[in-house]
Amino acid sequence: MKAPAALEQLTAALKRLPGVGPKSAQRFAYYLLQHDREGARLIARALDDAVARIRHCVRCNTFSEAEVCETCASPRRDAGLLCVVETPSDQLMVEQTLSYGGLYFVLMGRLSPLDGVGPKEIHLDRLLARATDGQVREVILATNFTQEGEATAHYIGELLRARGLRVTRLARGVPVGSELEYVDPGTIAHALRDRRIVDD
Amino acid sequence: MKAPAALEQLTAALKRLPGVGPKSAQRFAYYLLQHDREGARLIARALDDAVARIRHCVRCNTFSEAEVCETCASPRRDAGLLCVVETPSDQLMVEQTLSYGGLYFVLMGRLSPLDGVGPKEIHLDRLLARATDGQVREVILATNFTQEGEATAHYIGELLRARGLRVTRLARGVPVGSELEYVDPGTIAHALRDRRIVDD
């Protein structure tokens, strides 16, 4: 006995989602066919639409429907500040702080030589051209504080400083709401080194 | 700052997959757009195809492209045996044993009054009609050995026995390859009660 061809194909297709294996793909397929055929059609439409309409902003490289994304096109943004993040989700997190008014560059990845991700894959040539447009005063490196994120920040920082730009990195320190007793020593060491003068 | 509309819609659509929340949906969307646009198109096609072509077999209720599925249409199957399972995956598992040559009825669910799943939702009227076609000699209840699966088996068993059918249930016992020391007492109790005569 075999499952119907259309069902086999759907399961095979759903396996292309990241982290979805044969069991999950089958569960998705059965669920949609049994309980949510409207949802299945909706997902199909949304996929086609997104593939057709989403491209990368020519200035900041984030996902965008227009050639230049809304953020880059906004006249209210400070063009002297450029924040470098790994992904659009990271960009959203920075935006949610409501404490940054500059522009962005989204790498869409991080340096990871073992996975074949080098300077070209994270569009460093475009970042360099963007950062040296004469308007940018400061580049804030906001890649993740993982090994690969740190290496990426270091590499980009070197390149940009060689071009005479002011380069900063997000502060490492004790997270808001945490008790020192439960914070790892490495973080406290960083918080000590980056301590700030109390000046109200 | 907001994500582009087509991206927001894709993320919202992917949340309809079972067990997929906002974070996973966003991860799926970003991954497909960044790394596998071909995969996105493929999933969209497969979803449309499956929704258009997959229906339920009129005899056994499993997913099928034809009015009567391959298994039900096969002349090599013993029409005197009917195995009742909860889902097409369960049916596949029984098939994989290569030790069953009868037919199936797939409930596409289990009785679960709290979730609004009653006799109608698992198509018991169709099962009764199917089991009393005059050809079926024995109905094998192969619902899961969970609380809901057991309740479903009990309920169906009562109905079928009242119609004079021979009704059996999969044996409960010690799983192949397991050591008694690590099997739960309930299972051993069942294995004792259902013990079989050694006759080679």
Side-chain angles (χ1 to χ4, degrees), chain A residues 156-197:
Chain A
I156 297 175
E158 293 287 294
L159 289 177
L160 293 174
R161 280 198 295 136
R163 280 156 183 80
L165 278 156
R166 178 181 154 87
V167 180
T168 56
R169 178 89 171 109
L170 286 190
R172 276 164 293 204
V174 182
V176 172
S178 56
E179 299 179 62
L180 288 189
E181 187 178 349
Y182 300 106
V183 175
D184 67 297
T187 295
I188 296 181
H190 276 298
L192 269 173
R193 211 185 60 188
D194 296 353
R195 67 190 179 279
R196 53 192 290 272
I197 295 165

Side-chain angles (χ1 to χ4, degrees), chain B residues 49-97:
Chain B
D49 270 15
V51 167
R53 287 160 55 190
I54 300 286
R55 49 180 168 169
H56 294 277
C57 169
V58 294
R59 295 203 78 202
C60 74
N61 198 38
T62 197
F63 289 129
S64 171
E65 291 186 34
E67 195 179 341
V68 173
C69 75
E70 266 183 57
T71 309
C72 286
S74 166
R76 288 203 302 263
R77 292 277 174 166
D78 180 353
L81 287 173
L82 189 69
C83 180
V84 178
V85 292
E86 293 182 17
T87 66
S89 339
D90 296 339
Q91 185 185 6
L92 275 172
M93 291 307 290
V94 175
E95 281 294 290
Q96 278 171 25
T97 65

Side-chain angles (χ1 to χ4, degrees), chain B residues 160-174:
Chain B
L160 293 174
R161 280 197 295 136
R163 281 159 183 77
L165 279 155
R166 178 180 154 87
V167 180
T168 56
R169 178 89 169 109
L170 287 190
R172 276 165 295 203
V174 182

Side-chain angles (χ1 to χ4, degrees), chain A residues 118-132:
Chain A
K120 187 162 162 290
E121 281 69 30
I122 58 170
H123 315 282
L124 283 200
D125 47 340
R126 283 177 55 198
L127 169 56
L128 289 185
R130 176 74 186 78
T132 54

